Amino acid sequence: MIMIPAAGGTMQPAVGLIANPASGKDIRRLIAHGSVFDNNEKANIIRRVLQALDAFGVKQVLAMPDLYGLVLRALEDTQVGLRVEFVNISVTNTAADSRLAAAVMAQAGVRCIVTVGGDGTNRVVAQGCGDVPLVPISTGTNNVFPSLVESTLAGMAAAAVACDVEPVWDRAVRQARRLEIVRGNTLVETALVDVVVYDERFVATRAIWDADKMRALFLTAPYRGTIGASAIAAYLPQAEEVARDAAGLYVELGPGGTHVMAPIAPGLIVPVSVRVVHPLELEQTIPVTYAPSILALDGEREVPVPPGTSVGVRLSSHGPYVVDVQAALQAAVKAGFFIRKP
Amino acid sequence: MALSRETLLGLYEMMVKIRTFEERVAEIYYEGKQPVFNIAAGPVPGEMHLYSGQEAVAAGVCAHLRPDDPVTSTHRPHGHLIAKGVDLKRMMAEIFGKETGLCHGKGGHMHLFDPELHFGCGGIVGGGIPHAVGAALAIKKRGEDRVAVSFFGEGAANIGAFHESLNLAALWKLPAVFIVEDNLYAISVPKTASTAVRSNAERGAAYGIPAVQVDGQDVVAVYEAAGEAVERARRGEGPTLIEAVCYRFRGHFEGDPEHYLPEGTKEQWKQRDPIALLAKQLKDQGWLTDEDAQAIEERMTALIAEAEAFARESAYPPPEAALTDVFVQAESPREEQSHG
Ligand SMILES: Cc1ncc(C[n+]2csc(CCOP(=O)(O)OP(=O)(O)O)c2C)c(N)n1
Ligand SMILES: [Mg+2]
């Protein structure tokens, strides 16, 4: 682990950076029309983040190492004064890297973590980052949690958070909810946006695209204008109504319900039959007894529920802290953060 | 795409078949080559490139193919041909250089051709890719619903023929599926030292070909992705590129000292042995017991022993056979001229 040297007794404003080299290449390019996000573009995104952090006073960046050397690539063609160091983890090129890197960064005292990836990337980062806020930058069209934001702006927002500009934290950082998968009393997994009970047994290519196999849907919040499984509720008037007084939603799917035309993947708009929309309260656990099945977390098949077993899905308030980029920029403008003496 | 018990047990059996075949060929290969390695000695002289570790790719893709779907392969072809459904006896006999082999003993392990299965391979890296595109063009011109598949390594994806092939397949919207088996190395050269892009799935975008990356150790993932790609091609929707991230468990060739491998990495990859990974998934679902697994292993071992016995007992081709199947015999002087 790399410790950030405390300069003059106080910590230098440092930012974490986690870029997932694997995102943006899954089967949604084949079964739907998902955008292709290549790693050169990801390196480009990282360059823009680094430039913004550098321009606004961030001195240190702690980055996750990866086999593809995304951040190293970005650095090759960038002139920045800030220091980039890599957290000392052994790279496995799996999601575990992101989780561990986030934990190490949080321990080292970074003020926020910029993530470059999709819902899946943020899901595992959130499992490691503790209460360090995330600045999620989306690398694709299939995401709900990270926003498709210009990374220069995300970098500027991250700088404002890292430099502790007065009202930024209050105005722009909120704690998200999460969905927890429990077996008995054991927490086995978490999701940030949605959990789908899917009538399949295997993780395979992870994505889910057959609406007829979706048996139930859990949502952390009434997301609006989204894509993916959460879209099933997003375009349904009943869901909007139930969501008004609820922390989350539990939606039963199956034949005989209301048909909503939902964009469950980019360009893939299909009718989904919604039977009942229930409110989901904080700390409420709903048992999933539909087995065999597999739970898709934030759009990726992840937790098999083999025959004869069951799991519970619980809505919790212990999600990650998240920076709203636009709100952070506005607050930073008010504080004069972007003004320099000529 | 149904991930049924029958399908997955079929994939499991196929992977065990390939692994057992490869590991037995390795043992046979070293006969007579020890204690001092002599590449010309033993029942199987010459180079030997084995496929152990990458079984999920061949099994997962070929499970969607019919005998009449053309497949081109590489210098590491055994897995692909076994998964395509070859007669193991004729394949083993070819590896031994025997008259009863697929090519009457003239091809050897790197040049296995099976016209019934529309299968070809060869030692020219990247050489099979344009062949598959040619086959796909023929399929399209004839209005058939066949699919041409080309397997090749990530090293081959840096050869010009790869790019020319993708270009034409995209331009003509051909029923072709390109499978890049990214096992991280071309002989001793790591991909990162030879390739400007980090993933070959990204190269599809340049040609407007849908491209996906899959976990090449997970046969279910390969099977699912390949199924979508093959069906797309059969429906006339054009080519697909699949990058399967995998690892070879043996050297580039037998006798490779593998000094280029960072310490511990092979052991790490072996933790994700594709056969063990599937076995675990099947056991979790109650679809496979230890006894079932043992029975499959024994059955495959027996099958390969039979193929080996057939190969050993078969005769070498007579010396005069060197001149047969080499030149086409022209039927008329005119035809001869037109060949001229
Ligand atoms: C045109 C050509 N160049 C070089 C070689 C020598 N050669 C044989 S195998 C190989 C590496 C191929 O690597 P890759 O395509 O990744 O396949 P893998 O061996 O990893 O399966 C090379 C360079 C060759 N046979 N043909
Ligand atoms: Mg290779």
Side-chain angles (χ1 to χ4, degrees):
Chain A
M1 191 185 96
I2 291 171
M3 292 304 296
I4 301 184
T10 52
M11 189 92 82
Q12 296 255 31
V15 168
L17 176 59
I18 295 179
N20 179 2
S23 72
K25 293 182 222 346
D26 70 41
I27 195 162
R28 284 173 290 196
R29 262 102 294 207
L30 204 49
I31 50 88
H33 303 277
S35 53
V36 179
F37 233 86
D38 67 71
N39 282 334
N40 287 326
E41 186 50 36
K42 278 183 214 160
N44 226 344
I45 286 175
I46 294 166
R47 269 177 217 128
R48 306 200 290 263
V49 171
L50 292 175
Q51 295 288 5
L53 295 175
D54 193 47
F56 294 104
V58 173
K59 299 283 179 242
Q60 307 239 14
V61 166
L62 264 190
M64 177 180 83
D66 72 272
L67 273 190
Y68 292 103
L70 273 179
V71 177
L72 281 177
R73 271 253 159 151
L75 279 171
E76 271 170 21
D77 302 312
T78 318
Q79 303 288 326
V80 282
L82 54 70
R83 202 148 57 94
V84 177
E85 288 180 68
F86 290 90
V87 290
N88 186 12
I89 60 170
S90 67
V91 178
T92 62
N93 247 23
T94 65
D97 294 353
S98 300
R99 191 181 299 119
L100 184 58
V104 174
M105 288 172 191
Q107 215 179 333
V110 299
R111 303 265 175 89
C112 62
I113 297 174
V114 176
T115 64
V116 179
D119 287 326
T121 309
N122 286 287
R123 188 175 67 78
V124 288
V125 169
Q127 291 168 352
C129 69
D131 49 18
V132 176
L134 305 180
V135 185
I137 301 172
S138 176
T139 54
T141 48
N142 205 86
N143 299 309
V144 178
F145 187 79
S147 41
L148 264 176
V149 60
E150 164 46 35
S151 59
T152 315
L153 303 182
M156 288 165 65
V161 173
C163 296
D164 227 351
V165 177
E166 192 36 60
V168 169
W169 186 281
D170 287 345
R171 303 263 172 88
V173 182
R174 64 172 179 90
Q175 186 171 20
R177 299 184 188 113
R178 71 178 189 187
L179 289 159
E180 301 176 339
I181 313 301
V182 288
R183 266 203 186 98
N185 288 327
T186 316
L187 175 66
V188 289
E189 264 297 349
T190 59
L192 297 176
V193 176
D194 56 44
V195 173
V196 170
V197 181
Y198 199 65
D199 187 8
E200 189 53 85
R201 293 168 186 254
F202 302 97
V203 170
T205 53
R206 296 186 166 271
I208 52 174
W209 63 88
D210 187 348
D212 293 338
K213 289 184 179 171
M214 297 179 184
R215 293 285 168 267
L217 163 69
F218 298 85
L219 277 176
T220 45
Y223 284 91
R224 290 199 175 83
T226 60
I227 196 157
S230 58
I232 295 167
Y235 303 97
L236 192 71
Q238 300 103 287
E240 178 100 349
E241 232 159 85
V242 176
R244 205 169 299 148
D245 318 298
L249 292 178
Y250 162 45
V251 184
E252 290 183 62
L253 306 171
T258 308
H259 281 229
V260 58
M261 293 294 286
I264 58 169
L268 187 66
I269 303 156
V270 293
V272 183
S273 178
V274 177
R275 293 227 303 257
V276 198
V277 181
H278 305 275
L280 196 56
E281 301 310 327
L282 282 175
E283 299 309 315
Q284 187 184 358
T285 305
I286 305 283
V288 173
T289 49
Y290 191 90
S293 67
I294 189 158
L295 301 188
L297 312 182
D298 298 335
E300 294 188 322
R301 278 173 273 170
E302 194 75 39
V303 181
V305 186
T309 67
S310 72
V311 294
V313 180
R314 179 171 66 209
L315 182 63
S316 139
S317 56
H318 300 119
Y321 287 86
V322 187
V323 176
D324 176 333
V325 169
Q326 286 305 333
L329 290 176
Q330 270 176 30
V333 168
K334 283 221 171 77
F337 182 60
F338 304 117
I339 303 300
R340 293 289 181 277
K341 288 208 178 76
Chain B
M1 200 138 315
L3 299 176
S4 67
R5 177 172 189 217
E6 191 190 4
T7 300
L8 293 204
L9 284 176
L11 292 173
Y12 182 78
E13 182 166 312
M14 182 55 76
M15 291 200 292
V16 173
K17 193 185 210 177
I18 297 171
R19 174 74 56 88
T20 313
F21 187 93
E22 295 299 67
E23 295 301 311
R24 182 61 198 142
V25 166
E27 286 169 3
I28 297 166
Y29 181 74
Y30 285 109
E31 281 175 26
K33 294 188 180 67
Q34 283 166 332
V36 179
F37 188 78
N38 173 3
I39 199 166
V44 181
E47 278 194 345
M48 180 57 66
H49 312 84
L50 297 175
Y51 192 68
S52 294
Q54 300 179 212
E55 295 88 352
V57 186
V61 173
C62 292
H64 299 284
L65 301 182
R66 309 190 306 233
D68 65 345
D69 289 323
V71 168
T72 70
S73 171
T74 66
H75 55 284
R76 200 180 301 289
H78 299 175
H80 309 132
L81 182 52
I82 294 173
K84 191 87 200 322
V86 72
D87 174 352
L88 287 183
K89 290 183 181 162
R90 297 194 63 206
M91 178 173 171
M92 189 70 99
E94 188 56 45
I95 291 169
F96 273 75
K98 297 295 181 77
E99 197 176 19
T100 53
L102 286 169
C103 304
H104 306 297
K106 287 179 187 165
H109 118 86
M110 244 192 295
H111 305 96
L112 300 164
F113 291 83
D114 190 333
E116 278 160 45
L117 294 176
H118 298 257
F119 182 96
C121 62
I124 308 300
V125 170
I129 314 173
H131 294 168
V133 173
L137 177 61
I139 291 167
K140 178 152 184 170
K141 292 240 175 226
R142 291 172 179 161
E144 298 165 345
D145 72 341
R146 299 191 293 148
V147 179
V149 175
S150 187
F151 290 95
F152 50 94
E154 88 298 331
N158 290 329
I159 296 271
F162 166 77
H163 297 273
E164 296 171 30
S165 298
L166 258 59
N167 180 53
L168 288 179
L171 178 69
W172 295 332
K173 217 175 176 191
L174 299 180
V177 179
F178 302 99
I179 310 286
V180 188
E181 295 190 58
D182 180 358
N183 61 10
L184 302 181
Y185 291 92
I187 310 182
S188 56
V189 179
K191 185 178 74 172
T192 47
S194 66
T195 312
V197 294
R198 300 303 164 143
S199 152
N200 277 299
E202 295 173 0
R203 286 175 156 166
Y207 301 97
I209 295 180
V212 296
Q213 185 182 61
V214 292
D215 178 355
Q217 307 293 103
D218 181 353
V219 71
V220 196
V222 177
Y223 177 81
E224 200 167 68
E228 295 295 331
V230 168
E231 285 317 306
R232 261 189 97 241
R234 286 205 207 284
R235 291 194 301 261
E237 293 171 19
T240 304
L241 174 69
I242 294 176
E243 176 187 49
V245 181
C246 54
Y247 197 84
R248 60 171 156 71
F249 286 172
R250 306 190 64 91
H252 170 74
F253 41 68
E254 291 309 301
D256 179 357
E258 299 187 86
H259 291 317
Y260 50 87
L261 288 187
E263 206 173 314
T265 48
K266 184 182 280 192
E267 290 65 30
Q268 209 174 323
W269 276 89
K270 281 191 167 178
Q271 303 277 312
R272 301 194 72 245
D273 183 322
I275 296 175
L277 274 189
L278 181 61
K280 173 161 189 334
Q281 294 190 71
L282 293 174
K283 283 175 188 171
D284 286 348
Q285 295 293 335
W287 282 0
L288 183 80
T289 63
D290 288 336
E291 294 74 50
D292 297 337
Q294 171 114 23
I296 289 171
E297 211 165 290
E298 281 167 10
R299 202 145 36 80
M300 293 305 114
T301 305
L303 213 60
I304 285 146
E306 214 180 302
E308 180 186 337
F310 174 80
R312 286 194 194 271
E313 285 156 17
S314 293
Y316 285 106
E320 56 275 20
L323 296 176
T324 58
D325 301 329
V326 177
F327 300 105
V328 173
Q329 196 68 51
E331 271 163 20
S332 71
R334 223 172 126 226
E335 196 182 334
E336 193 162 26
Q337 239 173 22
S338 73
H339 280 286

